[in-house]
Amino acid sequence: MSETRVLGELAVLDDVGPPRRGRAYPAAGATSALLLPAALLLGALVLWPVLRTLHASVTTDGRWVGAQHFRAALDAPHTGAVVGRTVLWALLVPAVVTALGYLFAVVSRRSQEGGLVRLILLVPVALPLVVTGVTFRLMYDPDPTRGLVTLLAARVTGRSTEDAPQLLGPGLVTVALMSAFVWAWVGLAVLVFRAALDRVPPSLADAVRAYGGGRRHVLWDAQWRPLLLRTVAVVFALVALGTSRTFDLILVMTPGSVRDDAAVLALRVWQTSGGTTTGQGAALGVIWLAAVAAGMLVAAFFVRQAWPPPRVEPVPDATPVTPPRRLFRVLAAAAAVAWLFPLVVLLATSAHGQVDAAAQGWWSTPPGTGSYAALLGGGELWRALGFTLLLASVVTATVLVVALLAAYPLAWLTGPAAQATGLLLMAATVVPVQVIAGPVNEVLGLVLSSGTARGLALVHVALGVPFAVLVLRNAFADLPAEQVRGARLGGRRWWGTLRRLARHNLPAVVAVSVLEFVQVWNDLAVGLLFSGPEATPLGLFLAGQSRGFVSNSGVLAAGSVLASVLPVALMVLARRQLVAGLVSGGVR
């Protein structure tokens, strides 16, 4: 945009043109300045730690040893089982979540109870995985006098209570963990599939029927081929990458005696090296990185499309012409009951005193407030709540500012440059924090000091920026040309233009803010690896309470309920903006 005088009057020449163009936007100097904060964070706390881990995997004290650490790590006892279990998690769990997500999306779309079902399925998505682990450990308690599922399993199988199936035993602990993960993630799959179904033009189904197609042809040609196949790939890849972060769930839900029987690479890397960089730990981390990178490339291959993505005009809501079937009503009711049951167990256990909750099941004694009184009477919970609230707020604000600055110039790239940028951002998003913990602590020791609140916040910011930039970049690129032109004309400087563009992309901004806040609030792994005595986040506090699980079950359940109120409220209140913000670019 430039200014000139025509017949003595000031005229504005709008050179914005199409919003998705090949030349840089804004100017090259400003672009470098806008990208600098994100580049410094990702370079120092993601890229360099990855390279440092690669170097540590093939050297000892700076001396080249080749594949020695890899052979030692793979020859260690049970490593083959750990790798196989990790692969099983990455294939079976995403398949189950994808299938249930699609089924529940269809059911909730075509039934009158659909809104309530989707709301119930959304709640587990917001829960910390620590809380999910506590909830299912209460349900699967090996003692039938406390574990309701164990008691029911004994009665269904006709066994005595002493002979009841042990869901947290060596043989079934992985199945128990997978059931908890599926319960927590299905709601996200439902949201994505529901958004995809709502964007399918009704005219496609009418065209298929006009050419004599039946119900099967309508399903394939009017839904799966145009949109749902790509959505399945997105959901499957998202969940598969999410299974690499089951660290919190395994650490809290499994008793110490069977933890090795449930271990995956996420846990084994931490057990091997912790917050340091060792040869065998680095070798396992490189294997894990290679698996995650391969999964990311496969996902990118299946969901690839031209950049920028073609705009999809909004489709008006179609009025249903047939009433919902009874089968859909039954499925909706069954889904709601099944997903509410763990929450009922958690709430009921928290409503009992410490002694009653430890001695017998919640259904055997009258409720009380003893656990809440014991928990709220101490200062440790209040300190953890206050610190986590401050940490999540500061990190969210910082991530949003850095991501907006970086997404603004990146949104106008096209062709291979845009595709490469997207792949790099995706790669930075899925780097497991356990793999880079040692090098990150080295960096923190140089610029700050490891184990401090500032260092913990810096790590959270670096891990949150890639996803935020990816979502906001795609959302900016999806803006109509008229809105981009109006923002350029209304903003005399780049920051004015950016402010107006962000206002047009409010759902994406809200989605990034809510998801980042909830991520930091719910975290355990980052806090465990990088916090210190002065920085104890809520997840670390709850994990510490779980060490004496039976004796602390009432207080732990009460703490889990209190820890879940804020993230659940944010996710429920912002659910429409979350869907709109992610669909505008986050799942492309």
Side-chain angles (χ1 to χ4, degrees):
M1 183 174 63
S2 58
E3 298 177 353
T4 187
R5 289 191 175 274
V6 179
L7 299 179
E9 298 293 334
L10 184 66
V12 177
L13 302 180
D14 179 14
D15 62 346
V16 172
R20 303 178 182 107
R21 60 193 184 183
R23 62 192 180 92
Y25 178 90
T31 296
S32 301
L34 295 176
L35 293 175
L36 183 61
L40 288 176
L41 282 168
L42 296 181
L45 295 177
V46 178
L47 177 60
W48 186 86
V50 168
L51 297 177
R52 176 72 177 87
T53 300
L54 291 170
H55 179 264
S57 68
V58 294
T59 60
T60 298
D61 297 329
R63 179 174 52 86
W64 175 268
V65 296
Q68 176 181 326
H69 295 314
F70 289 90
R71 287 193 295 267
L74 294 175
D75 290 341
H78 310 298
T79 299
V82 169
V83 174
R85 206 175 291 120
T86 304
V87 174
L88 183 64
W89 269 92
L91 296 178
L92 180 60
V93 172
V96 174
V97 171
T98 302
L100 289 177
Y102 174 72
L103 177 63
F104 291 155
V106 173
V107 168
S108 64
R109 190 187 184 204
R110 299 187 59 182
S111 67
Q112 295 176 348
E113 300 85 357
L116 179 61
V117 172
R118 291 193 302 274
L119 185 61
I120 292 173
L121 294 176
L122 179 64
V123 172
V125 177
L127 295 180
L129 275 180
V130 173
V131 173
T132 301
V134 170
T135 303
F136 276 78
R137 188 166 175 180
L138 290 170
M139 291 172 52
Y140 296 156
D141 194 304
D143 189 343
T145 61
R146 294 189 303 268
L148 183 58
V149 173
T150 305
L151 177 62
L152 294 176
R155 293 183 177 178
V156 168
T157 58
R159 302 181 183 181
S160 63
T161 54
E162 293 80 10
D163 230 4
Q166 299 295 307
L167 290 171
L168 293 180
L172 296 175
V173 64
T174 298
V175 176
L177 287 165
M178 287 181 175
S179 67
F181 190 89
V182 168
W183 179 79
W185 276 70
V186 160
L188 182 62
V190 171
L191 289 179
V192 177
F193 275 116
R194 177 61 195 273
L197 288 169
D198 288 345
R199 290 167 72 91
V200 174
S203 57
L204 288 179
D206 296 337
V208 173
R209 293 191 188 97
Y211 280 92
R215 182 174 299 175
R216 179 174 60 86
H217 300 94
V218 169
L219 177 65
W220 176 251
D221 293 322
Q223 289 188 358
W224 282 94
R225 288 179 62 187
L227 186 59
L228 291 184
L229 278 177
R230 176 171 292 167
T231 305
V232 167
V234 169
V235 172
F236 190 97
L238 183 66
V239 180
L241 294 172
T243 59
S244 66
R245 300 185 177 183
T246 55
F247 176 82
D248 302 13
L249 191 63
I250 296 175
L251 198 64
V252 173
M253 186 173 163
T254 57
S257 58
V258 299
R259 190 162 294 159
D260 288 340
D261 297 290
V264 294
L265 281 174
L267 187 68
R268 179 57 67 91
V269 170
W270 174 72
Q271 290 174 328
T272 304
S273 57
T276 61
T277 303
T278 63
Q280 291 190 32
L284 286 175
V286 170
I287 294 173
W288 191 7
L289 276 175
V292 172
M296 183 204 71
L297 290 175
V298 170
F301 174 79
F302 279 106
V303 301
R304 71 189 188 281
Q305 62 183 38
W307 179 263
R311 291 198 53 80
V312 179
E313 297 300 327
V315 179
D317 295 335
T319 304
V321 295
T322 57
R325 298 182 179 183
R326 181 178 298 274
L327 175 61
F328 290 151
R329 291 175 178 269
V330 172
L331 288 174
V337 171
W339 257 252
L340 275 177
F341 181 70
L343 299 176
V344 170
V345 171
L346 181 65
L347 289 170
T349 305
S350 70
H352 287 79
Q354 289 177 277
V355 176
D356 290 341
Q360 48 194 326
W362 52 268
W363 62 90
S364 305
T365 56
T369 59
S371 294
Y372 285 99
L375 186 65
L376 296 175
E380 193 174 357
L381 173 67
W382 293 110
R383 286 192 295 271
L385 283 171
F387 174 76
T388 307
L389 179 61
L390 179 62
L391 176 69
S393 301
V394 171
V395 169
T396 301
T398 307
V399 166
L400 187 60
V401 171
V402 173
L404 281 171
L405 294 178
Y408 177 50
L410 291 178
W412 318 114
L413 295 177
T414 58
Q419 298 286 3
T421 301
L423 286 175
L424 289 175
L425 291 172
M426 287 179 62
T429 300
V430 301
V431 169
V433 66
Q434 293 94 328
V435 174
I436 59 174
V440 168
N441 272 319
E442 295 175 4
V443 174
L444 293 180
L446 292 175
V447 298
L448 295 168
S449 59
S450 58
T452 64
R454 290 177 299 168
L456 181 62
L458 195 62
V459 174
H460 273 298
V461 171
L463 295 176
V465 162
F467 177 77
V469 173
L470 191 63
V471 173
L472 293 173
R473 179 202 75 152
N474 295 352
F476 281 158
D478 270 354
L479 285 176
E482 296 77 13
Q483 291 184 349
V484 177
R485 183 175 291 109
R488 285 294 311 271
L489 292 174
R492 300 185 64 86
R493 304 292 183 187
W494 64 262
W495 51 84
T497 303
L498 175 58
R499 185 173 63 251
R500 285 168 171 80
L501 292 175
R503 193 178 303 141
H504 292 314
N505 274 308
L506 191 58
V509 173
V510 171
V512 166
S513 302
V514 171
L515 290 176
E516 182 60 30
F517 186 96
V518 171
Q519 171 65 27
V520 177
W521 181 275
N522 291 350
D523 171 72
L524 170 62
V526 177
L528 183 64
L529 292 168
F530 302 105
S531 66
E534 68 174 65
T536 304
L538 190 57
L540 197 57
F541 168 77
L542 293 176
Q545 295 291 316
S546 68
R547 290 169 186 161
F549 193 89
V550 174
S551 59
N552 287 336
S553 57
V555 173
L556 189 55
S560 299
V561 171
L562 295 176
S564 304
V565 172
L566 184 56
V568 168
L570 285 176
M571 292 285 283
V572 169
L573 293 176
R575 62 188 184 278
R576 297 184 185 278
Q577 288 83 0
L578 285 174
V579 175
L582 292 178
V583 169
S584 69
V587 298
R588 293 189 188 277

